[in-house]
Amino acid sequence: MNRRGFYQPQDAWVGDLIPYEEDGVLHLFYLHETRRTPKDGMPWLRVTTENLVDVDERGVAIASGGVDAPDFNIYTGSIVRDESGRHHAFYTGQNPSRTGADGLALQLVMHATSDDGMETWTRHPELTFGATAGYESADWRDPFVFRDEEAGLWRMLITARHTDGPARRRGVIAQCTSTDLTTWRAAAPFWDPRRGVAHECPEVFQWGDWWYLVSSEFSDAFVTRYRMARTLAGPWIAPDHDTLDGRAYYAAKSAALGGRRLFFGWIASREDDSDDGAWQWAGTLSVLEAEQNADGTLAFHPPRELLDTFGDPTDAFAPRTSIAAPDAHAQVISAHDVPDAFRLTARFEAVAGTREYGVLLRASEDGDEGYILRLEPGRGRLVFDRWPRRSTGGEQWQISGDVPFAIELERPARLEGGEHVLEVIVDGDICVATLDDAVVLSTRLYDRSSGRVGAFVDDGELLITEFTVRPRVHSDIAPIAAALATAHT
């Protein structure tokens, strides 16, 4: 299932990623989820890429330690290289049969090294250590190791929980330090907000004059967030828009490549491959690129390499189409279905006071059914919706009308007057929408596998200056272009 730019292994799913860059090559270690019952132990696998869209599968990097080992499950961690050129992997070891005093499975920080360019790894069980004093033994995971040159030591950030306090506010990023990557000493917490159950997959990096702290949480929301600081000691400032994406994109961690900052996360799958299915752990690899604004805040969008996998644009309907509905709904729909994989670019200029407008995906001929990306200027947000929604009964009114959009698929957005651009990538059941090259919303499209595209406006007026579709470059472009050209003849 290796769709360009969206990697997923055969008969398995991509879990948390551990990106590492060296000599222009990105090594993407990941948690390999098979969802088999009984569980067969979680290993790290590795893929490499030099262009962000095509990967080479390199197989198992660090295998499960076995049913009796403390690292039956190998969870998230990090990779560093020391001055001698040796690579070090720090990772979480867990085995459901090995429990602590609270009866919960222990989580341990474990260590492996490689002397052959990360092809093979040697475990060092004697270097294993668990939670230090004051932290719960079942939450001691995701070690992120980095070099603090100013202090002359290595720092390790660890997802942890205090042993005291309200249960949902014990989350903390603990810290250990080392001078040799072997002996680790407990240090003061790196970030202790006393909010959230846990702050998973932490990382920190410097970019220009700013430091950034990134972590993922599942408390108030299921999301990856970032914080900013002028120094490594903090304080860590929350920007107005502090998330990378919405509910479907999780556990993103980053790597630098040629001055760029790239984030690697997974778009979650849903149970039963259904739009109504519960979100699952693990899914499909998706890459986002960060841009640093003048004030240090970050904007996010798919990398240009992914956009370039699509061909020449074809108008879905005539440029500079205008639709108006001062107190109603108006829409325009393409005359034919779009391909399974496509890139849509929609440029809009909404008249001041317009309540909402946006894009229809895989819509029915009359536009009544389909997926919806809706811009709501009054509420300052982009949301994902669909119609029909889930029916809760046989009565006419039991249509989930009290659910205004797909829960947690909402992104804050600045929608002041002027032009706004929605760039949408659809590839099978994957959808990644980007507003103004800055705000990303990813999701799945399961129930409707085909249909048309369109634009709409509610209570306002909309000028559509561009509405084009690009197929994948390996698609049969000529018939698609001909079909779309018919849409406005």
Side-chain angles (χ1 to χ4, degrees):
M1 196 180 290
N2 190 359
R3 297 172 286 194
R4 299 193 73 198
F6 298 107
Y7 172 74
Q8 185 177 327
Q10 185 69 33
D11 299 323
W13 291 263
V14 173
D16 301 352
L17 287 120
I18 302 93
Y20 175 78
E21 185 274 334
E22 188 169 299
D23 299 329
V25 177
L26 285 160
H27 300 259
L28 307 179
F29 299 84
Y30 71 92
L31 277 55
H32 187 77
E33 173 63 89
T34 64
R35 297 181 184 160
R36 294 184 187 132
T37 303
K39 297 291 187 180
D40 46 10
M42 178 79 70
W44 277 16
L45 268 65
R46 177 173 63 128
V47 298
T48 59
T49 182
E50 297 182 55
N51 65 4
L52 301 178
V53 292
D54 300 303
V55 304
D56 291 324
E57 295 181 321
R58 307 299 291 269
V60 175
I62 306 179
S64 164
V67 294
D68 297 322
D71 55 354
F72 171 68
N73 291 313
I74 296 179
Y75 292 150
T76 313
S78 56
I79 303 287
V80 297
R81 185 174 64 172
D82 65 22
E83 293 180 352
S84 72
R86 169 178 283 186
H87 292 91
H88 297 254
F90 296 91
Y91 62 92
T92 309
Q94 190 255 23
N95 189 322
S97 68
R98 292 176 173 242
T99 58
D102 57 6
L104 301 175
L106 291 169
Q107 291 187 342
L108 305 167
V109 170
M110 305 188 74
H111 191 169
T113 57
S114 175
D115 294 310
D116 60 1
M118 299 178 286
E119 295 299 324
T120 60
W121 294 87
T122 299
R123 286 173 164 88
H124 299 282
E126 72 280 5
L127 302 180
T128 298
F129 66 96
T132 56
Y135 297 116
E136 296 180 358
S137 62
D139 284 271
W140 189 252
R141 62 182 178 275
D142 308 342
F144 177 78
V145 175
F146 68 102
R147 181 70 181 172
D148 181 350
E149 294 293 352
E150 184 175 343
L153 49 76
W154 297 90
R155 296 186 184 276
M156 178 188 291
L157 311 187
I158 304 170
T159 297
R161 279 171 54 81
H162 290 291
T163 54
D164 67 308
R168 72 182 182 93
R169 297 188 183 277
R170 295 184 187 180
V172 57
I173 297 179
Q175 181 179 200
C176 294
T177 61
S178 175
T179 58
D180 59 6
L181 292 174
T182 299
T183 303
W184 292 91
R185 297 176 177 84
F190 188 83
W191 189 49
D192 192 7
R194 288 287 178 168
R195 58 170 293 274
V197 174
H199 306 285
E200 299 193 298
C201 302
E203 69 162 334
V204 67
F205 61 87
Q206 187 175 20
W207 193 359
D209 296 331
W210 289 95
W211 285 90
Y212 296 89
L213 172 63
V214 181
S215 62
S216 295
E217 65 175 62
F218 49 82
S219 306
D220 299 332
F222 211 107
V223 73
T224 300
R225 299 187 187 275
Y226 77 95
R227 297 288 183 268
M228 308 160 50
R230 288 295 190 180
T231 71
L232 194 57
W236 295 98
I237 303 164
D240 289 342
H241 298 169
D242 66 347
T243 56
L244 277 64
D245 200 325
R247 167 64 178 86
Y249 188 74
Y250 195 68
K253 296 180 72 171
S254 73
L257 179 67
R260 303 163 70 186
R261 178 59 58 169
L262 299 156
F263 283 83
F264 302 84
W266 42 267
I267 298 177
S269 57
R270 286 183 179 268
E271 286 184 1
D272 302 320
D273 293 343
S274 166
D275 289 338
D276 287 324
W279 292 108
Q280 297 173 300
W281 187 87
T284 305
L285 165 66
S286 182
V287 185
L288 297 180
E289 182 168 1
E291 302 287 349
Q292 191 177 47
N293 298 317
D295 63 356
T297 60
L298 301 180
F300 299 92
H301 58 81
R304 63 179 182 271
E305 290 86 346
L306 177 58
L307 298 178
D308 289 345
T309 64
F310 296 86
D312 295 331
T314 300
D315 292 325
F317 39 80
R320 302 197 67 79
T321 293
S322 181
I323 51 177
D327 59 352
H329 171 89
Q331 64 185 23
V332 58
I333 307 294
S334 66
H336 296 274
D337 288 1
V338 291
D340 178 66
F342 64 91
R343 170 186 165 193
L344 182 150
T345 303
R347 295 181 183 274
F348 298 122
E349 292 181 16
V351 171
T354 295
R355 187 166 64 89
E356 56 190 39
Y357 59 97
V359 166
L360 304 176
L361 302 173
R362 292 183 176 165
S364 57
E365 182 177 350
D366 61 3
D368 190 49
E369 296 187 0
Y371 300 106
I372 305 158
L373 290 165
R374 188 169 62 244
L375 300 172
E376 301 178 352
R379 296 183 174 92
R381 67 186 184 186
L382 161 68
V383 303
F384 177 80
D385 204 350
R386 64 174 184 156
W387 196 264
R389 296 174 182 161
R390 179 186 296 188
S391 176
T392 59
E395 298 295 335
Q396 183 187 40
W397 53 271
Q398 292 176 315
I399 53 174
S400 296
D402 55 345
V403 180
F405 53 87
I407 301 302
E408 291 191 286
L409 294 182
E410 171 191 15
R411 301 287 288 129
R414 295 181 175 91
L415 293 168
E416 294 83 1
E419 181 182 82
H420 294 284
V421 182
L422 262 180
E423 192 84 57
V424 186
I425 293 172
V426 173
D427 191 343
D429 56 29
I430 293 287
C431 176
V432 179
T434 307
L435 175 64
D436 294 334
D437 220 24
V439 177
V440 180
L441 178 58
S442 302
T443 189
R444 295 277 183 173
L445 311 177
Y446 283 118
D447 294 353
R448 295 187 63 85
S449 58
S450 63
R452 308 182 182 198
V453 293
F456 71 94
V457 64
D458 289 326
D459 297 341
E461 185 174 348
L462 187 66
L463 175 64
I464 307 164
T465 56
E466 179 185 355
F467 205 92
T468 56
V469 173
R470 295 172 171 86
R472 282 285 196 185
V473 292
H474 55 71
S475 300
D476 190 359
I477 295 174
I480 295 165
L484 289 172
T486 308
H488 56 82
T489 58

